[in-house]
């Protein structure tokens, strides 16, 4: 059966497509099984009145991007360029950009 | 059935043709897979974070009001509360106390939060798993914190938050109001900011506007802005990462385009021979299309599957140095998989379709030339 190259190709393709379907299936069931975990995290957000996820802890404007303002990243020095690596990865929140437009 | 058998014969020939230039095509397959892997890893990571943020932060305060002095966030006086409470549509206003504590021995930053639960628990704290890890402290042990005026104050750890909650609690230290004020020297009558509850969610923007007019030195932040923030900060257009990635993707695009759109002399001769032995132009194009599909589809499928394993099984190991940055306290969290079919479809159309299309045009150009002329080249 595998003497023909096309058969080998279709076999590989089937395995890959099956793996892709497994990805979607795994994601679906993991999402469903982790509902209690999400509830626990959401409960902590409500209880401690949090506004941000704990993703980057090196700078306060990346620890709490929602709370940051335009001047926060430059408080080390008025002319300082972006200092922390995490500040280079994320872009500013939308509401800061809107404030900028409002000022103009 | 005849059509299927014909296609299989063409695929057999296309695969033989690819295997004749094994080294080049394997290198292309590897680079192509790596590019899809990186792009898909970013897609999986950012879509899971965005989804998680939208589900978890939907319980965050409806409106947060900050005071701004000299362009910087300042403590808000308690006398602002009655002004805001009187506004129509406002249900409740509460002072929130929170701040950052830099731990000099470990070099980590903690987020200290005051909660009503700890009102009567002076001298005790609850800590996140990240804090417990960096301080090597467990429940029941004492942790010293340096107060604003110099002396150390020790707190007993009464709770360590579960590792599963690290995405929100890794750096948290929950403390009583009295201890917080004593630690940072914040006088009674001042809060870090105020949180508001409004009667009608649709009125949030109006209430925020009224606060800005009534108290011009304040900055209200709406919950919908909090929820949108994670969409914006992980937007694929934002940040330095996209520029670094854009370079790699562009280099690959040029490489793939050059590989796909210009035929080597050997490939031209091959097409000439095929035409001379009786292949139709359409059959030559079909053969070249299959070559493109084999490379691009295999790379796409392998890249996406490897990316999923990377993000959800291997804890995004290649992204960790980027995410860690200079953090000493780095949250260890497991992302809940969220696969956006639209993003996968977009990735498919961005990777498979252009490459396959790019292989057809030069083949068509070579296939319509007289076979004798092509073979003489």
């Amino acid at each position: 059966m595998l003497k023909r190259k096309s058969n080998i190709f279709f076999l590989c393709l089937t395995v890959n497509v099956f793996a892709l379907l497994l990805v979607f299936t795994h994601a679906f069931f993991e999402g469903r099984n982790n509902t209690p975990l999400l509830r626990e995290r959401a409960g902590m957000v409500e209880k401690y009145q949090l506004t941000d996820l704990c993703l980057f802890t090196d700078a306060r404007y990346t620890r709490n991007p929602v709370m940051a303002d335009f001047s926060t990243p430059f408080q080390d020095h008025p002319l300082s360029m972006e200092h922390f690596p995490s500040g280079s990865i994320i872009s500013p929140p939308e509401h800061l950009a809107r404030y900028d437009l409002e000022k103009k | 059935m005849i059509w299927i058998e014909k296609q299989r014969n063409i695929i057999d020939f296309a695969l033989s043709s690819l295997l004749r230039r094994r080294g080049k095509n394997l290198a292309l397959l590897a680079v192509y897979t790596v590019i899809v892997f990186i792009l898909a890893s970013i897609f999986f990571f950012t879509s899971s974070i965005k989804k998680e943020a939208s589900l978890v932060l939907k319980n965050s305060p409806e409106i947060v009001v900050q005071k701004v002095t000299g362009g910087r966030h300042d403590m808000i006086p308690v006398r602002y509360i009655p002004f805001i409470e009187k506004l129509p549509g406002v249900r409740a206003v509460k002072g929130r106390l929170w701040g950052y504590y830099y731990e000099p021995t470990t070099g980590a930053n903690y987020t200290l939060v005051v909660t009503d639960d700890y009102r009567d628990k002076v001298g005790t704290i609850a800590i996140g798993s990240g804090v417990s890890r960096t301080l090597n402290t467990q429940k029941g042990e004492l942790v010293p914190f340096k107060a604003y005026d110099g002396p150390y104050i020790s707190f007993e750890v009464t709770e360590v938050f579960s590792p599963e909650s690290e995405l929100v609690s890794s750096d948290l230290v929950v403390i009583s109001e009295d201890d917080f004020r004593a630690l940072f020297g914040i006088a009674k009558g001042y809060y870090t900011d105020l949180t508001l509850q409004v009667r009608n969610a649709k009125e949030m923007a109006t209430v925020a506007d009224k606060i800005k007019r009534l108290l011009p030195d304040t900055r209200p932040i709406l919950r919908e802005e909090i929820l949108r923030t994670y969409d914006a900060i992980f937007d694929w257009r934002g940040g330095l990462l996209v520029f670094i990635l854009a370079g790699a993707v562009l280099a690959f695009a040029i490489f793939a385009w050059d590989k796909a759109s210009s035929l080597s002399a050997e490939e031209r001769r091959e097409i000439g021979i095929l035409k001379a032995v009786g292949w139709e132009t359409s059959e030559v194009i079909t053969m070249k299309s299959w070559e493109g599909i084999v490379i691009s589809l295999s790379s796409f499928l392998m890249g996406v599957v490897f990316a999923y394993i990377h993000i959800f099984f291997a804890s995004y190991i290649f992204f960790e140095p980027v995410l860690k940055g200079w953090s000493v306290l780095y949250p260890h969290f497991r992302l809940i998989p969220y696969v956006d079919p639209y993003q996968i479809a977009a990735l498919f159309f961005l990777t498979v379709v252009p490459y396959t299309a790019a292989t057809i045009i030069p083949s068509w150009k070579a296939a319509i030339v007289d076979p004798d002329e092509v073979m003489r080249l």
Side-chain angles (χ1 to χ4, degrees):
Chain A
M1 189 212 161
L2 293 178
K3 274 180 186 168
R4 287 185 71 168
K5 289 189 178 75
S6 57
N7 286 346
I8 299 171
F9 169 65
F10 281 120
L11 183 70
C12 291
L13 198 65
T14 310
V15 169
N16 277 328
V17 170
F18 182 70
L20 189 67
L21 288 175
L22 272 183
V23 159
F24 279 97
T25 315
H26 180 261
F28 174 77
F29 283 108
E30 275 289 287
R32 221 170 56 167
N33 295 341
N34 281 303
T35 313
L37 176 63
L38 271 175
R39 238 180 252 139
E40 186 193 342
R41 291 175 183 173
M44 288 192 91
V45 166
E46 190 171 11
K47 189 174 179 184
Y48 301 119
Q49 299 268 288
L50 306 177
T51 53
D52 285 283
L53 300 179
C54 179
L55 286 173
F56 309 107
T57 54
D58 45 359
R60 56 205 158 114
Y61 53 91
T62 53
R63 166 62 181 95
N64 287 286
V66 168
M67 297 288 111
D69 53 51
F70 269 119
S71 55
T72 319
F74 304 103
Q75 283 185 13
D76 294 323
H77 186 270
L79 294 178
S80 72
M81 299 296 282
E82 180 46 60
H83 193 58
F84 290 96
S86 53
S88 308
I89 299 164
I90 61 171
S91 48
E94 204 182 57
H95 59 275
L96 283 187
R98 217 187 61 227
Y99 270 64
D100 193 33
L101 287 174
E102 277 176 11
K103 276 180 208 163
K104 283 173 188 173
Chain B
M1 285 304 282
I2 296 169
W3 184 85
I4 292 173
E5 196 50 41
K6 186 181 171 182
Q7 293 301 315
R8 284 182 67 189
N9 287 332
I10 292 174
I11 294 167
D12 281 337
F13 188 85
L15 289 166
S16 301
S17 176
L18 286 174
L19 286 171
R20 273 196 295 278
R21 297 177 293 275
R22 192 171 296 150
K24 260 186 182 180
N25 286 317
L26 279 177
L28 178 66
L29 191 78
V31 177
Y32 209 145
T33 306
V34 168
I35 289 288
V36 175
F37 167 78
I38 296 169
L39 285 173
S41 293
I42 293 173
F43 278 166
F44 284 141
F45 184 81
T46 54
S47 61
S48 285
I49 287 278
K50 283 179 190 180
K51 183 77 179 172
E52 179 109 16
S54 71
L55 292 171
V56 166
L57 296 175
K58 68 176 193 290
N59 292 344
S60 56
E62 287 176 312
I63 300 178
V64 176
V65 181
Q66 290 182 337
K67 183 174 186 287
V68 179
T69 308
R72 298 169 77 151
H73 176 218
D74 197 7
M75 289 290 156
I76 195 161
V78 74
R79 64 186 158 83
Y80 279 27
I81 294 177
F83 290 110
I84 299 170
E85 268 176 339
K86 277 178 198 158
L87 289 173
V90 175
R91 196 154 54 115
V93 186
K94 208 175 157 193
R96 193 167 69 136
L97 277 170
W98 64 280
Y100 301 106
Y101 177 82
Y102 176 72
E103 166 58 51
T105 50
T106 57
N109 283 306
Y110 305 142
T111 303
L112 272 69
V113 176
V114 170
T115 171
D116 289 343
D117 288 5
Y118 272 67
R119 190 181 294 277
D120 304 322
K121 295 180 183 172
V122 175
T124 63
I125 50 171
I127 57 173
S129 292
V131 181
S132 163
R133 206 167 39 241
T134 50
L135 284 174
N136 200 15
T137 303
Q138 301 304 320
K139 189 178 169 181
E141 291 180 26
L142 288 175
V143 178
F145 280 80
K146 193 176 185 181
Y148 76 102
D149 51 352
Y152 279 88
I153 307 173
S154 289
F155 298 99
E156 189 195 338
V157 177
T158 52
E159 188 185 351
V160 178
F161 297 128
S162 68
E164 287 78 26
S165 67
E166 276 204 49
L167 188 56
V168 290
S169 70
S170 187
D171 68 336
L172 280 194
V173 175
V174 178
I175 191 169
S176 71
E177 182 177 339
D178 290 344
D179 286 334
F180 185 87
R181 291 189 189 279
L183 203 61
F184 294 123
I186 296 168
K188 288 227 178 233
Y190 286 90
Y191 289 106
T192 311
D193 46 35
L194 305 176
T195 57
L196 268 68
Q197 284 181 300
V198 291
R199 285 199 178 87
N200 183 353
K202 287 177 186 165
E203 283 180 1
M204 273 201 268
T206 317
V207 171
D209 192 52
K210 281 180 183 165
I211 294 168
K212 263 161 69 179
R213 284 170 205 275
L214 186 72
L215 304 161
D217 61 347
T218 59
R219 189 172 85 106
I221 300 161
L222 306 181
R223 180 157 66 190
E224 62 179 83
E225 291 171 334
I226 295 171
L227 292 173
R228 274 206 306 266
T229 293
Y230 286 85
D231 272 340
I233 63 173
F234 285 113
D235 189 2
W236 66 271
R237 288 166 295 184
L240 193 68
L241 195 69
V242 79
F243 288 101
I244 299 164
L245 196 68
V249 171
L250 203 66
F252 171 72
I254 295 165
F255 171 66
W257 178 261
D258 183 57
K259 171 75 187 65
S261 62
S262 59
L263 296 177
S264 64
E266 190 196 339
E267 284 174 290
R268 281 171 178 277
R269 201 173 300 117
E270 188 182 54
I271 290 172
I273 293 165
L274 290 175
K275 289 288 301 272
V277 296
W279 281 49
E280 297 282 330
T281 305
S282 63
E283 288 162 348
V284 173
I285 291 171
T286 310
M287 190 268 285
K288 281 288 168 192
S289 304
W290 273 115
E291 277 188 17
I293 290 169
V294 167
I295 297 275
S296 52
L297 194 60
S298 305
S299 307
F300 169 78
L301 291 169
M302 285 193 293
V304 169
V305 173
F306 288 152
Y308 190 85
I309 293 167
H310 168 225
I311 298 298
F312 302 114
F313 288 96
S315 306
Y316 38 88
I317 194 162
F318 294 119
F319 288 173
E320 206 183 64
V322 183
L323 293 167
K324 251 182 180 169
W326 291 354
S327 313
V328 171
L329 188 161
Y330 177 68
H332 295 172
F333 55 88
R334 202 169 62 84
L335 281 172
I336 298 169
Y338 176 73
V339 180
D340 186 347
Y342 293 105
Q343 281 189 335
I344 300 292
L347 193 63
F348 178 83
F349 282 104
L350 277 170
T351 52
V352 177
V353 177
Y355 184 79
T356 309
T359 54
I360 297 171
I361 300 158
S363 321
W364 170 72
K365 277 184 182 166
I368 54 168
V369 181
D370 184 45
D372 179 53
E373 197 184 312
V374 177
M375 279 188 284
R376 277 173 197 279
L377 283 171

